[in-house]
Structures are given as structure tokens and as C-alpha cells.
Amino acid sequence: MAVRLKDIARDLGVSVVTVSKVLRGNADIGDETRRRVLKRMKELNYQPNMMARGLASGRTYTVGLVVPDLVHPFFAEFAKALSGVLRTSGRALILTSSEEDPDVERQEIRTLLSRGVDVLLIASCQANLRNFYELGDERTPYLLFDRNFPHLAAHFVGSDDVQVGEMATRHLVDIGRKRIAHIGGKNSSPAFDRLRGYRNVLIASGLSAPESYVVARERTEESGDQVGFNAMQELLELNPRPDAVFCYNDLTAIGAIEATLQAGLRVPEDIAFIGCGNLRYAKYLRVPLSSIDHGTAELGRLAGELAMELSAKPEQEPRSVLAPSTLVVRESSVVAGPGH
């Protein structure tokens, strides 16, 4: 038979309310009592009935996560880190994908809200998320991650993408490249901000780039390698062609490098590349890829902590939490020296 709270209370000679408060982490329980209750729970392998707790508290102890693409390494790593934080407090993660389709995203948000998630996290593919609450009830707190909407008063966890674009482009300038192109995304704050960072550095460095050096494409998450390959084929036809490319993410960089190698050119001698996201396997590629590391696991951890805060206190002033980014240099942007 399943162990009940009243069994633990009877064993220790305390009230069911006391045991329940220990389970909820209330602060008005003495350390010794808390220690005894937790010890007994462990001895009896007590598993709380989350459905019963939810009915009693009005919570479901679940967090909903909507991402544009489930198999993209960035979102997978983010979800893993987020789930690890939620697990420590007995919460479950419900994960769903919008497939970069605004209509699918709205449908998935409604589904998660109807399931009563305590908090909703969204990397939205909407071109303009005017009013999130048009999509569901007004009680569920939510936070945006990776993709921000500056005109929407909402919690946000992500990167400073203008800085990301600046770091990547400055690195290409620093290694002596003069004709720097950008394969970018479309209709998202990271895409706009990385492009702005790219342009900031070109202006500051006294370099110019024709409009044809910026190729913006959709579906850079879902099919980034193919998008990068096709975009690079366009850039290779230009005269003069670029001698360096800053790519929206690592998948587009992988596709772009493949197109370059197939054209009989050398990386990085003829064209240098830098991506974004620092894929786990970036150093094992045929040409190990330079990249900007977002601190993806740290983003997941920060989002998990903020989600738990919002679950406890939904009425908070919106705030932005940014994780620092770092430059990781590999062979795609640096010619190996003698002996390498």
C-alpha cells in the first residue's frame, strides 16, 4: 500500500499539517522536526501524490515549454538544463514544439494552458507577439527565452544578441578579413540583434559591405544546414566574393562550410567562418568550427530558477536575465601554424 502523510505523522507523533508543511518547504517548521519528517519519508520511500497536491493547492507542479524545434541542439540542451532545475523541486516539464509555425505555436500554448501548467516558457516564432493573453487565461505567469519582444512587458531569459553579433564580427576583423558577409535569420529578435551587432562592428572598423553580403533566411533552426548551404552558394557567386562569413547559428555555418568546400575553396584560407551556439560537436567537424557560446546550460538554469519564482509569486515586475556569451576560436577562422 502507498504510504500516506497520516502514516508518517502517526509514526512521529506530529500532526498531518506539520508533515504537509515540511513537504511544501514552509519556513515555520523547526529544523529538528523537518529533519525527522524528511528522514522518515526517506525510510518509507514516500512518493507524494502530485495530483492530490494539485487539487489541494490549485497547482499542477508542471512547467510548459514551447520551442521552435525539438531536435535543434540549442533547445535540447536548454530543456535538459531547465528540467534538471525543476526536478529538484518535484516539478515536471511538459515540452512541445511549434515547428517554426505561428499557428502551431498558438495551438500548443492553448493546450498547455488548458492542462493548467503553473508557468509557461516560450521561444516564440511569432513575428509580433502583441498580446500573449489573447491566447489563453490571464492567470498563468510566463517568460520568454532566447527570443524577446521589446514592446511586450514580459520576463525574458536569453543572450545579449547585439553583443553576440559584435563579438563574432570583431573576431573576423581581428584576423584581417575585409569582406565579411552575414547569413542571418528572419523575424526574430536574435536575428535582428545579431545583424545589428554585425553592422556596428563593420562601421566602427571602417569596412563596408554591399547589401548582397547579407542573406537572411527563415527556418535557420529547423533546417539550418540546408539553409546555410543554399545561402553560401549565393555568396560564392558574388564578385568579389566574401573572405569571411558570420553565420546565424552553427547549423547554418556547417552548411555554408560544406558549400565552400564543394566549390573547391579552402576554409579558413579562402573564406573564414564563425557560427553561434557552440554546438557540442563543433570541435569534431571536418573543419572545427569557431563559435559564440551562449552558455546554454546556464540559460536553462536561470530560466528554471525564474520559473519557480514566478510559480510562487506570479505578480512580479517583468525583468530580463542575460547570460554572458564567450568567443570560442577553432580552425574555421584561424589558419593552423607550423606543426599543426
Short mmCIF file of all heavy atoms in Angstrom, two decimals, residues 69-130:
data_model
loop_
_atom_site.label_atom_id
_atom_site.label_comp_id
_atom_site.label_asym_id
_atom_site.label_seq_id
_atom_site.Cartn_x
_atom_site.Cartn_y
_atom_site.Cartn_z
N ASP A 69 11.92 24.12 -32.32
CA ASP A 69 12.37 22.86 -32.91
C ASP A 69 12.95 21.96 -31.82
O ASP A 69 13.90 22.34 -31.15
CB ASP A 69 13.43 23.15 -33.98
CG ASP A 69 13.89 21.88 -34.68
OD1 ASP A 69 13.08 20.94 -34.83
OD2 ASP A 69 15.07 21.82 -35.06
N LEU A 70 12.37 20.79 -31.65
CA LEU A 70 12.79 19.89 -30.56
C LEU A 70 14.17 19.30 -30.76
O LEU A 70 14.87 18.99 -29.79
CB LEU A 70 11.78 18.74 -30.41
CG LEU A 70 10.49 19.05 -29.67
CD1 LEU A 70 9.52 17.89 -29.79
CD2 LEU A 70 10.76 19.35 -28.20
N VAL A 71 14.59 19.10 -32.02
CA VAL A 71 15.86 18.40 -32.23
C VAL A 71 17.04 19.36 -32.39
O VAL A 71 18.18 18.91 -32.48
CB VAL A 71 15.80 17.46 -33.47
CG1 VAL A 71 14.76 16.38 -33.25
CG2 VAL A 71 15.51 18.23 -34.75
N HIS A 72 16.78 20.66 -32.43
CA HIS A 72 17.90 21.60 -32.51
C HIS A 72 18.73 21.53 -31.23
O HIS A 72 18.17 21.58 -30.13
CB HIS A 72 17.39 23.03 -32.73
CG HIS A 72 18.49 24.00 -33.06
ND1 HIS A 72 19.35 24.48 -32.10
CD2 HIS A 72 18.88 24.53 -34.23
CE1 HIS A 72 20.22 25.30 -32.68
NE2 HIS A 72 19.95 25.34 -33.97
N PRO A 73 20.05 21.39 -31.33
CA PRO A 73 20.88 21.18 -30.14
C PRO A 73 20.72 22.27 -29.07
O PRO A 73 20.75 21.97 -27.88
CB PRO A 73 22.31 21.16 -30.69
CG PRO A 73 22.16 20.77 -32.12
CD PRO A 73 20.85 21.33 -32.58
N PHE A 74 20.55 23.53 -29.49
CA PHE A 74 20.43 24.62 -28.51
C PHE A 74 19.20 24.41 -27.63
O PHE A 74 19.28 24.48 -26.40
CB PHE A 74 20.35 25.98 -29.22
CG PHE A 74 19.96 27.11 -28.30
CD1 PHE A 74 20.87 27.63 -27.40
CD2 PHE A 74 18.67 27.62 -28.31
CE1 PHE A 74 20.51 28.67 -26.53
CE2 PHE A 74 18.30 28.65 -27.45
CZ PHE A 74 19.23 29.17 -26.56
N PHE A 75 18.04 24.14 -28.25
CA PHE A 75 16.81 23.99 -27.47
C PHE A 75 16.81 22.70 -26.67
O PHE A 75 16.27 22.65 -25.56
CB PHE A 75 15.59 24.07 -28.41
CG PHE A 75 15.45 25.41 -29.06
CD1 PHE A 75 15.65 25.56 -30.42
CD2 PHE A 75 15.17 26.54 -28.31
CE1 PHE A 75 15.55 26.80 -31.03
CE2 PHE A 75 15.07 27.79 -28.90
CZ PHE A 75 15.26 27.92 -30.28
N ALA A 76 17.43 21.65 -27.22
CA ALA A 76 17.53 20.39 -26.47
C ALA A 76 18.38 20.56 -25.22
O ALA A 76 18.01 20.10 -24.12
CB ALA A 76 18.12 19.30 -27.37
N GLU A 77 19.52 21.25 -25.36
CA GLU A 77 20.40 21.45 -24.20
C GLU A 77 19.75 22.37 -23.17
O GLU A 77 19.86 22.16 -21.97
CB GLU A 77 21.73 22.04 -24.68
CG GLU A 77 22.80 22.02 -23.59
CD GLU A 77 24.16 22.46 -24.09
OE1 GLU A 77 24.42 22.40 -25.31
OE2 GLU A 77 24.98 22.87 -23.24
N PHE A 78 19.05 23.40 -23.66
CA PHE A 78 18.33 24.31 -22.76
C PHE A 78 17.29 23.54 -21.96
O PHE A 78 17.19 23.67 -20.74
CB PHE A 78 17.65 25.41 -23.59
CG PHE A 78 16.80 26.35 -22.78
CD1 PHE A 78 17.34 27.50 -22.23
CD2 PHE A 78 15.46 26.08 -22.56
CE1 PHE A 78 16.55 28.37 -21.48
CE2 PHE A 78 14.66 26.93 -21.81
CZ PHE A 78 15.21 28.08 -21.27
N ALA A 79 16.49 22.70 -22.65
CA ALA A 79 15.44 21.93 -21.98
C ALA A 79 16.01 20.97 -20.95
O ALA A 79 15.44 20.78 -19.87
CB ALA A 79 14.62 21.15 -23.02
N LYS A 80 17.17 20.38 -21.26
CA LYS A 80 17.80 19.46 -20.32
C LYS A 80 18.20 20.18 -19.03
O LYS A 80 17.95 19.69 -17.93
CB LYS A 80 19.04 18.83 -20.98
CG LYS A 80 19.78 17.86 -20.07
CD LYS A 80 21.00 17.27 -20.78
CE LYS A 80 21.77 16.34 -19.84
NZ LYS A 80 22.96 15.76 -20.49
N ALA A 81 18.82 21.36 -19.18
CA ALA A 81 19.24 22.12 -18.00
C ALA A 81 18.03 22.62 -17.21
O ALA A 81 18.01 22.57 -15.97
CB ALA A 81 20.12 23.30 -18.43
N LEU A 82 17.01 23.07 -17.91
CA LEU A 82 15.78 23.54 -17.26
C LEU A 82 15.13 22.40 -16.47
O LEU A 82 14.74 22.57 -15.31
CB LEU A 82 14.82 24.06 -18.32
CG LEU A 82 13.39 24.38 -17.88
CD1 LEU A 82 13.38 25.55 -16.91
CD2 LEU A 82 12.51 24.68 -19.10
N SER A 83 15.03 21.25 -17.10
CA SER A 83 14.41 20.09 -16.46
C SER A 83 15.15 19.69 -15.19
O SER A 83 14.54 19.31 -14.19
CB SER A 83 14.37 18.92 -17.44
OG SER A 83 13.73 17.81 -16.88
N GLY A 84 16.49 19.80 -15.22
CA GLY A 84 17.29 19.46 -14.05
C GLY A 84 16.97 20.34 -12.86
O GLY A 84 16.90 19.88 -11.71
N VAL A 85 16.75 21.64 -13.11
CA VAL A 85 16.40 22.57 -12.03
C VAL A 85 15.01 22.24 -11.49
O VAL A 85 14.79 22.20 -10.27
CB VAL A 85 16.44 24.03 -12.53
CG1 VAL A 85 15.91 24.98 -11.47
CG2 VAL A 85 17.86 24.41 -12.93
N LEU A 86 14.06 22.01 -12.39
CA LEU A 86 12.68 21.74 -11.96
C LEU A 86 12.60 20.44 -11.17
O LEU A 86 11.82 20.32 -10.22
CB LEU A 86 11.76 21.66 -13.18
CG LEU A 86 11.68 22.93 -14.04
CD1 LEU A 86 10.79 22.69 -15.25
CD2 LEU A 86 11.16 24.11 -13.22
N ARG A 87 13.41 19.47 -11.56
CA ARG A 87 13.38 18.16 -10.89
C ARG A 87 13.69 18.28 -9.40
O ARG A 87 13.15 17.55 -8.58
CB ARG A 87 14.39 17.23 -11.58
CG ARG A 87 14.23 15.76 -11.22
CD ARG A 87 15.26 14.93 -11.98
NE ARG A 87 15.12 15.06 -13.43
CZ ARG A 87 16.08 15.47 -14.24
NH1 ARG A 87 17.28 15.79 -13.77
NH2 ARG A 87 15.87 15.56 -15.54
N THR A 88 14.57 19.22 -9.06
CA THR A 88 14.97 19.35 -7.65
C THR A 88 13.80 19.80 -6.76
O THR A 88 13.85 19.64 -5.55
CB THR A 88 16.13 20.37 -7.50
OG1 THR A 88 15.68 21.66 -7.95
CG2 THR A 88 17.34 19.94 -8.30
N SER A 89 12.76 20.38 -7.37
CA SER A 89 11.62 20.81 -6.57
C SER A 89 10.37 20.00 -6.89
O SER A 89 9.25 20.43 -6.61
CB SER A 89 11.35 22.31 -6.80
OG SER A 89 10.97 22.52 -8.14
N GLY A 90 10.58 18.81 -7.49
CA GLY A 90 9.44 17.92 -7.74
C GLY A 90 8.51 18.39 -8.83
O GLY A 90 7.34 18.01 -8.86
N ARG A 91 9.01 19.24 -9.73
CA ARG A 91 8.16 19.71 -10.84
C ARG A 91 8.49 18.95 -12.12
O ARG A 91 9.63 18.54 -12.32
CB ARG A 91 8.36 21.21 -11.06
CG ARG A 91 7.70 22.07 -9.99
CD ARG A 91 8.07 23.53 -10.16
NE ARG A 91 7.27 24.40 -9.32
CZ ARG A 91 7.47 24.61 -8.04
NH1 ARG A 91 8.49 24.00 -7.44
NH2 ARG A 91 6.70 25.41 -7.34
N ALA A 92 7.50 18.82 -12.97
CA ALA A 92 7.68 18.11 -14.24
C ALA A 92 7.65 19.11 -15.38
O ALA A 92 6.97 20.15 -15.32
CB ALA A 92 6.57 17.08 -14.44
N LEU A 93 8.40 18.80 -16.45
CA LEU A 93 8.44 19.65 -17.63
C LEU A 93 7.61 19.03 -18.74
O LEU A 93 7.79 17.86 -19.07
CB LEU A 93 9.89 19.82 -18.10
CG LEU A 93 10.12 20.69 -19.34
CD1 LEU A 93 9.73 22.13 -19.06
CD2 LEU A 93 11.57 20.60 -19.79
N ILE A 94 6.71 19.82 -19.32
CA ILE A 94 5.95 19.38 -20.50
C ILE A 94 6.52 20.15 -21.68
O ILE A 94 6.44 21.39 -21.73
CB ILE A 94 4.44 19.64 -20.35
CG1 ILE A 94 3.89 18.94 -19.11
CG2 ILE A 94 3.70 19.17 -21.60
CD1 ILE A 94 2.42 19.20 -18.86
N LEU A 95 7.07 19.43 -22.64
CA LEU A 95 7.83 20.04 -23.73
C LEU A 95 7.06 19.87 -25.04
O LEU A 95 6.55 18.79 -25.34
CB LEU A 95 9.20 19.34 -23.82
CG LEU A 95 10.19 19.76 -24.88
CD1 LEU A 95 10.54 21.23 -24.75
CD2 LEU A 95 11.45 18.90 -24.76
N THR A 96 6.99 20.96 -25.81
CA THR A 96 6.29 20.88 -27.09
C THR A 96 6.98 21.77 -28.12
O THR A 96 7.72 22.68 -27.75
CB THR A 96 4.81 21.30 -26.94
OG1 THR A 96 4.13 21.13 -28.17
CG2 THR A 96 4.68 22.73 -26.47
N SER A 97 6.74 21.50 -29.40
CA SER A 97 7.42 22.22 -30.47
C SER A 97 6.42 22.91 -31.38
O SER A 97 5.37 22.35 -31.71
CB SER A 97 8.27 21.24 -31.30
OG SER A 97 8.76 21.86 -32.46
N SER A 98 6.77 24.12 -31.80
CA SER A 98 5.91 24.88 -32.72
C SER A 98 6.24 24.61 -34.18
O SER A 98 5.51 25.05 -35.07
CB SER A 98 6.05 26.38 -32.45
OG SER A 98 7.35 26.82 -32.83
N GLU A 99 7.36 23.90 -34.43
CA GLU A 99 7.83 23.64 -35.79
C GLU A 99 8.01 24.95 -36.58
O GLU A 99 7.82 24.98 -37.80
CB GLU A 99 6.86 22.71 -36.56
CG GLU A 99 6.44 21.46 -35.79
CD GLU A 99 7.61 20.56 -35.41
OE1 GLU A 99 8.62 20.60 -36.11
OE2 GLU A 99 7.51 19.86 -34.39
N GLU A 100 8.35 26.04 -35.89
CA GLU A 100 8.52 27.37 -36.52
C GLU A 100 7.25 27.82 -37.25
O GLU A 100 7.32 28.55 -38.24
CB GLU A 100 9.71 27.37 -37.49
CG GLU A 100 11.07 27.33 -36.82
CD GLU A 100 11.55 28.69 -36.31
OE1 GLU A 100 10.73 29.63 -36.25
OE2 GLU A 100 12.73 28.81 -35.96
N ASP A 101 6.09 27.39 -36.74
CA ASP A 101 4.81 27.74 -37.36
C ASP A 101 3.96 28.50 -36.33
O ASP A 101 3.57 27.92 -35.31
CB ASP A 101 4.09 26.47 -37.81
CG ASP A 101 2.77 26.75 -38.54
OD1 ASP A 101 2.09 27.73 -38.18
OD2 ASP A 101 2.43 25.99 -39.46
N PRO A 102 3.67 29.80 -36.58
CA PRO A 102 2.91 30.58 -35.59
C PRO A 102 1.57 29.97 -35.21
O PRO A 102 1.15 30.04 -34.05
CB PRO A 102 2.73 31.94 -36.28
CG PRO A 102 3.88 32.03 -37.24
CD PRO A 102 4.11 30.62 -37.72
N ASP A 103 0.87 29.36 -36.17
CA ASP A 103 -0.43 28.76 -35.86
C ASP A 103 -0.27 27.55 -34.95
O ASP A 103 -1.06 27.36 -34.01
CB ASP A 103 -1.15 28.34 -37.15
CG ASP A 103 -1.57 29.54 -37.99
OD1 ASP A 103 -1.82 30.60 -37.39
OD2 ASP A 103 -1.66 29.40 -39.22
N VAL A 104 0.74 26.72 -35.23
CA VAL A 104 1.01 25.57 -34.36
C VAL A 104 1.38 26.05 -32.97
O VAL A 104 0.94 25.49 -31.95
CB VAL A 104 2.13 24.68 -34.95
CG1 VAL A 104 2.52 23.58 -33.96
CG2 VAL A 104 1.69 24.07 -36.27
N GLU A 105 2.18 27.12 -32.89
CA GLU A 105 2.58 27.65 -31.58
C GLU A 105 1.36 28.07 -30.76
O GLU A 105 1.25 27.74 -29.58
CB GLU A 105 3.51 28.84 -31.77
CG GLU A 105 3.95 29.44 -30.43
CD GLU A 105 4.83 30.66 -30.62
OE1 GLU A 105 5.93 30.51 -31.20
OE2 GLU A 105 4.43 31.76 -30.19
N ARG A 106 0.44 28.80 -31.39
CA ARG A 106 -0.76 29.24 -30.66
C ARG A 106 -1.56 28.04 -30.16
O ARG A 106 -2.06 28.03 -29.03
CB ARG A 106 -1.63 30.12 -31.57
CG ARG A 106 -1.08 31.54 -31.72
CD ARG A 106 -2.08 32.44 -32.43
NE ARG A 106 -2.06 32.22 -33.87
CZ ARG A 106 -1.27 32.90 -34.72
NH1 ARG A 106 -0.47 33.83 -34.26
NH2 ARG A 106 -1.32 32.65 -36.01
N GLN A 107 -1.66 27.02 -30.99
CA GLN A 107 -2.39 25.80 -30.61
C GLN A 107 -1.71 25.12 -29.42
O GLN A 107 -2.37 24.69 -28.46
CB GLN A 107 -2.43 24.87 -31.81
CG GLN A 107 -3.16 23.55 -31.56
CD GLN A 107 -3.04 22.64 -32.79
OE1 GLN A 107 -2.93 23.11 -33.92
NE2 GLN A 107 -3.04 21.34 -32.56
N GLU A 108 -0.38 25.01 -29.47
CA GLU A 108 0.35 24.35 -28.38
C GLU A 108 0.24 25.14 -27.08
O GLU A 108 0.14 24.56 -25.99
CB GLU A 108 1.83 24.17 -28.76
CG GLU A 108 2.07 23.23 -29.94
CD GLU A 108 1.76 21.77 -29.61
OE1 GLU A 108 1.26 21.48 -28.51
OE2 GLU A 108 2.01 20.91 -30.47
N ILE A 109 0.27 26.47 -27.17
CA ILE A 109 0.13 27.30 -25.96
C ILE A 109 -1.24 27.07 -25.33
O ILE A 109 -1.36 26.90 -24.11
CB ILE A 109 0.35 28.79 -26.29
CG1 ILE A 109 1.84 29.04 -26.58
CG2 ILE A 109 -0.12 29.68 -25.15
CD1 ILE A 109 2.15 30.44 -27.08
N ARG A 110 -2.27 27.06 -26.16
CA ARG A 110 -3.62 26.81 -25.63
C ARG A 110 -3.70 25.44 -24.95
O ARG A 110 -4.32 25.29 -23.90
CB ARG A 110 -4.66 26.89 -26.76
CG ARG A 110 -4.90 28.28 -27.28
CD ARG A 110 -6.13 28.33 -28.19
NE ARG A 110 -6.22 29.62 -28.85
CZ ARG A 110 -5.82 29.87 -30.10
NH1 ARG A 110 -5.29 28.89 -30.82
NH2 ARG A 110 -5.94 31.06 -30.62
N THR A 111 -3.07 24.44 -25.57
CA THR A 111 -3.09 23.09 -24.98
C THR A 111 -2.41 23.08 -23.62
O THR A 111 -2.93 22.50 -22.66
CB THR A 111 -2.38 22.09 -25.93
OG1 THR A 111 -3.07 22.07 -27.18
CG2 THR A 111 -2.40 20.69 -25.33
N LEU A 112 -1.24 23.71 -23.53
CA LEU A 112 -0.52 23.74 -22.25
C LEU A 112 -1.30 24.50 -21.19
O LEU A 112 -1.36 24.09 -20.03
CB LEU A 112 0.87 24.36 -22.44
CG LEU A 112 1.88 23.50 -23.22
CD1 LEU A 112 3.11 24.31 -23.55
CD2 LEU A 112 2.26 22.26 -22.42
N LEU A 113 -1.91 25.63 -21.58
CA LEU A 113 -2.72 26.39 -20.62
C LEU A 113 -3.92 25.58 -20.15
O LEU A 113 -4.30 25.62 -18.98
CB LEU A 113 -3.17 27.72 -21.24
CG LEU A 113 -2.07 28.75 -21.49
CD1 LEU A 113 -2.63 29.95 -22.25
CD2 LEU A 113 -1.44 29.20 -20.18
N SER A 114 -4.53 24.82 -21.07
CA SER A 114 -5.71 24.02 -20.69
C SER A 114 -5.33 22.89 -19.74
O SER A 114 -6.16 22.40 -18.98
CB SER A 114 -6.39 23.45 -21.94
OG SER A 114 -5.59 22.45 -22.54
N ARG A 115 -4.04 22.48 -19.78
CA ARG A 115 -3.57 21.45 -18.85
C ARG A 115 -3.19 22.05 -17.50
O ARG A 115 -2.78 21.32 -16.59
CB ARG A 115 -2.36 20.72 -19.45
CG ARG A 115 -2.74 19.77 -20.56
CD ARG A 115 -1.51 19.12 -21.17
NE ARG A 115 -1.90 18.10 -22.14
CZ ARG A 115 -2.02 16.81 -21.86
NH1 ARG A 115 -1.79 16.38 -20.64
NH2 ARG A 115 -2.37 15.94 -22.78
N GLY A 116 -3.27 23.36 -17.40
CA GLY A 116 -3.06 24.01 -16.11
C GLY A 116 -1.62 24.13 -15.68
O GLY A 116 -1.33 24.08 -14.47
N VAL A 117 -0.68 24.27 -16.62
CA VAL A 117 0.72 24.42 -16.22
C VAL A 117 0.84 25.63 -15.29
O VAL A 117 0.11 26.62 -15.43
CB VAL A 117 1.66 24.58 -17.43
CG1 VAL A 117 1.70 23.30 -18.24
CG2 VAL A 117 1.29 25.77 -18.30
N ASP A 118 1.76 25.55 -14.33
CA ASP A 118 1.94 26.65 -13.38
C ASP A 118 2.67 27.83 -14.00
O ASP A 118 2.43 28.98 -13.64
CB ASP A 118 2.73 26.15 -12.15
CG ASP A 118 1.97 25.07 -11.39
OD1 ASP A 118 0.73 25.09 -11.43
OD2 ASP A 118 2.63 24.22 -10.77
N VAL A 119 3.58 27.54 -14.91
CA VAL A 119 4.35 28.58 -15.61
C VAL A 119 4.57 28.12 -17.05
O VAL A 119 4.68 26.93 -17.32
CB VAL A 119 5.74 28.81 -14.95
CG1 VAL A 119 6.48 29.96 -15.62
CG2 VAL A 119 5.60 29.08 -13.46
N LEU A 120 4.62 29.08 -17.97
CA LEU A 120 4.85 28.77 -19.38
C LEU A 120 6.11 29.48 -19.85
O LEU A 120 6.28 30.67 -19.62
CB LEU A 120 3.64 29.25 -20.19
CG LEU A 120 3.53 28.86 -21.65
CD1 LEU A 120 3.55 27.34 -21.81
CD2 LEU A 120 2.23 29.42 -22.24
N LEU A 121 7.00 28.73 -20.52
CA LEU A 121 8.21 29.30 -21.12
C LEU A 121 8.08 29.18 -22.63
O LEU A 121 7.72 28.11 -23.14
CB LEU A 121 9.47 28.55 -20.67
CG LEU A 121 9.96 28.81 -19.24
CD1 LEU A 121 9.15 28.00 -18.24
CD2 LEU A 121 11.44 28.44 -19.13
N ILE A 122 8.41 30.27 -23.35
CA ILE A 122 8.20 30.28 -24.80
C ILE A 122 9.40 30.89 -25.51
O ILE A 122 9.83 31.99 -25.19
CB ILE A 122 6.97 31.13 -25.20
CG1 ILE A 122 5.78 30.85 -24.27
CG2 ILE A 122 6.58 30.89 -26.65
CD1 ILE A 122 4.73 31.94 -24.32
N ALA A 123 9.92 30.16 -26.52
CA ALA A 123 10.80 30.76 -27.53
C ALA A 123 9.91 30.93 -28.75
O ALA A 123 9.73 30.01 -29.54
CB ALA A 123 12.00 29.86 -27.84
N SER A 124 9.31 32.10 -28.88
CA SER A 124 8.21 32.27 -29.82
C SER A 124 8.68 32.49 -31.25
O SER A 124 9.68 33.16 -31.50
CB SER A 124 7.36 33.47 -29.39
OG SER A 124 6.30 33.67 -30.30
N CYS A 125 7.94 31.91 -32.19
CA CYS A 125 8.21 32.13 -33.61
C CYS A 125 7.25 33.14 -34.21
O CYS A 125 7.21 33.34 -35.42
CB CYS A 125 8.15 30.81 -34.39
SG CYS A 125 6.52 30.05 -34.44
N GLN A 126 6.43 33.81 -33.36
CA GLN A 126 5.54 34.85 -33.87
C GLN A 126 6.36 36.02 -34.38
O GLN A 126 7.39 36.38 -33.80
CB GLN A 126 4.62 35.36 -32.75
CG GLN A 126 3.85 34.29 -32.00
CD GLN A 126 2.75 33.66 -32.83
OE1 GLN A 126 2.19 34.29 -33.72
NE2 GLN A 126 2.46 32.40 -32.55
N ALA A 127 5.90 36.64 -35.46
CA ALA A 127 6.58 37.84 -35.96
C ALA A 127 6.33 39.00 -35.01
O ALA A 127 7.17 39.87 -34.82
CB ALA A 127 6.08 38.18 -37.36
N ASN A 128 5.16 39.00 -34.35
CA ASN A 128 4.83 40.08 -33.43
C ASN A 128 3.89 39.54 -32.35
O ASN A 128 2.72 39.34 -32.60
CB ASN A 128 4.15 41.22 -34.21
CG ASN A 128 3.86 42.41 -33.32
OD1 ASN A 128 4.16 42.40 -32.13
ND2 ASN A 128 3.26 43.43 -33.91
N LEU A 129 4.44 39.29 -31.20
CA LEU A 129 3.64 38.75 -30.09
C LEU A 129 3.01 39.93 -29.35
O LEU A 129 3.47 40.38 -28.32
CB LEU A 129 4.55 37.95 -29.15
CG LEU A 129 3.89 36.93 -28.22
CD1 LEU A 129 3.26 35.81 -29.01
CD2 LEU A 129 4.91 36.34 -27.26
N ARG A 130 1.93 40.47 -29.93
CA ARG A 130 1.35 41.71 -29.40
C ARG A 130 0.80 41.52 -27.99
O ARG A 130 1.11 42.26 -27.10
CB ARG A 130 0.24 42.20 -30.33
CG ARG A 130 0.73 42.77 -31.63
CD ARG A 130 -0.44 43.28 -32.46
NE ARG A 130 -1.45 42.25 -32.66
CZ ARG A 130 -1.36 41.28 -33.57
NH1 ARG A 130 -0.30 41.19 -34.34
NH2 ARG A 130 -2.33 40.40 -33.70
#
